[in-house]
């Protein structure tokens, strides 16, 4: 999206993506000809009115939803040339997620939640790495606590630790402060940007908050299913 890295391969390449859904009333075009690229370490916010297709676009970038036309390349790999199992494996290796609703496992402690993706990847140092990451997000004294006894801000910190502990190439965040009060949201976003700089990820976040969007290098505004770059 910027010319400074024009010769570098894109980490994320969204190539002429369309998304339509059909029912008895006809066909609805959700996304139309979305096309952009992001280089390593770049940050981008996806903004737009409610129902504009922001979360649909993020799901397609993740390979969780499929486009009607077009494709997405993640570090050069065409996501939709892969079957679902291969896409899931690629996500596990290269993508971290942060959601508005935290999506922690209620029956697992903070430490176990952060250990989970490491254990699934076969990491023998899962406990040590997860403990260190929770310490980094300020929860070193809350390792054994379960989500139900953590505040919303603490739960989102656990979610950040879980996302970053696998050292993803790409971090995708969907309204990461949507369930938090303003002050807590500000603290969480500051931590997210700090971790992103430290870990060198490419960050794409969906937000309705223009102040948060303004902290990103690129703002992708979805209007009537199409993108306007700023």
């Amino acid at each position: 999206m910027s010319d400074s890295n024009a010769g570098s391969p894109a980490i994320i390449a969204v190539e002429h993506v369309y998304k339509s859904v059909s029912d008895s009333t006809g066909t609805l075009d959700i996304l139309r000809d979305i096309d952009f690229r992001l280089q390593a370490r770049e940050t981008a916010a996806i903004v737009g009115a409610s129902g504009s297709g922001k979360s649909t676009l993020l799901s397609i970038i993740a390979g969780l939803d499929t486009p009607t036309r077009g494709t997405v390349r993640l570090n050069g790999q065409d996501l939709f040339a892969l079957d679902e199992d291969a896409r899931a494996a690629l996500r596990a290796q290269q993508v971290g997620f942060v959601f508005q609703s935290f999506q922690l496992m209620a029956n697992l402690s903070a430490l176990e939640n952060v250990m989970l993706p490491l254990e699934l990847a076969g990491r023998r140092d899962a406990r040590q790495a997860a403990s260190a990451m929770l310490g980094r997000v300020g929860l070193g004294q809350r390792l054994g606590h379960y989500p139900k006894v953590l505040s919303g801000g603490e739960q989102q910190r656990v979610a950040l630790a879980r996302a970053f502990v696998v050292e993803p190439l790409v971090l995708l965040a969907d309204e990461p402060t949507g369930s938090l009060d303003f002050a807590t949201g500000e603290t969480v976003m500051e931590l997210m940007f700090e971790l992103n700089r430290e870990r060198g990820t490419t960050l794409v976040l969906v937000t309705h908050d223009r102040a948060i969007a303004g902290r990103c290098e690129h703002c992708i505004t979805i209007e009537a299913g199409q993108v306007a770059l700023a």
Side-chain angles (χ1 to χ4, degrees):
M1 290 171 56
S2 63
D3 294 332
S4 60
N5 293 313
S8 305
I11 294 298
I12 299 172
V14 178
E15 301 177 351
H16 302 290
V17 162
Y18 291 74
K19 180 67 177 181
S20 302
V21 293
S22 299
D23 60 20
S24 59
T25 63
T27 299
L28 174 65
D29 295 324
I30 299 173
L31 298 172
R32 294 186 293 159
D33 200 21
I34 307 295
D35 192 272
F36 64 87
R37 284 154 182 75
L38 293 171
Q39 309 293 337
R41 298 175 176 266
E42 288 191 317
T43 58
I46 301 174
V47 301
S50 178
S52 62
K54 304 185 300 295
S55 292
T56 298
L57 177 56
L58 197 71
S59 292
I60 290 173
I61 292 171
L64 293 167
D65 195 358
T66 57
T68 305
R69 291 163 50 193
T71 196
V72 174
R73 297 182 190 277
L74 179 60
N75 200 24
Q77 173 64 60
D78 183 345
L79 291 182
F80 303 106
L82 304 173
D83 62 23
E84 286 190 23
D85 289 343
R87 283 201 300 273
L90 187 67
R91 278 194 298 273
Q93 295 166 1
Q94 300 190 17
V95 182
F97 294 93
V98 178
F99 302 95
Q100 177 178 339
S101 57
F102 317 134
Q103 295 200 5
L104 301 178
M105 301 291 288
N107 62 329
L108 299 181
S109 67
L111 179 61
E112 290 165 340
N113 266 284
V114 179
M115 286 173 61
L116 185 59
L118 297 172
E119 291 177 325
L120 291 174
R123 288 271 297 271
R124 294 184 178 183
D125 64 338
R127 180 172 294 273
Q128 179 182 357
S131 179
M133 194 70 223
L134 281 165
R136 172 63 186 84
V137 301
L139 294 177
Q141 305 303 313
R142 306 284 269 171
L143 304 184
H145 290 70
Y146 289 83
K148 67 181 179 181
V149 298
L150 298 175
S151 69
E154 288 173 331
Q155 290 186 63
Q156 195 60 297
R157 285 169 179 257
V158 174
L160 283 176
R162 181 182 59 188
F164 279 105
V165 77
V166 297
E167 300 182 357
L169 282 176
V170 172
L171 181 72
L172 304 178
D174 193 357
E175 297 282 8
T177 62
S179 296
L180 305 175
D181 64 73
F182 177 78
T184 304
E186 285 284 292
T187 301
V188 166
M189 287 309 304
E190 184 60 39
L191 180 59
M192 177 181 287
F193 282 113
E194 284 179 10
L195 289 169
N196 196 68
R197 288 190 296 269
E198 288 174 12
R199 305 284 164 147
T201 57
T202 299
L203 171 65
V204 183
L205 65 91
V206 166
T207 184
H208 64 277
D209 188 325
R210 290 283 177 172
I212 291 174
R215 298 182 63 176
C216 295
E217 295 169 274
H218 306 288
C219 185
I220 303 166
T221 302
I222 305 296
E223 297 175 350
Q226 294 181 300
V227 64
L229 302 184

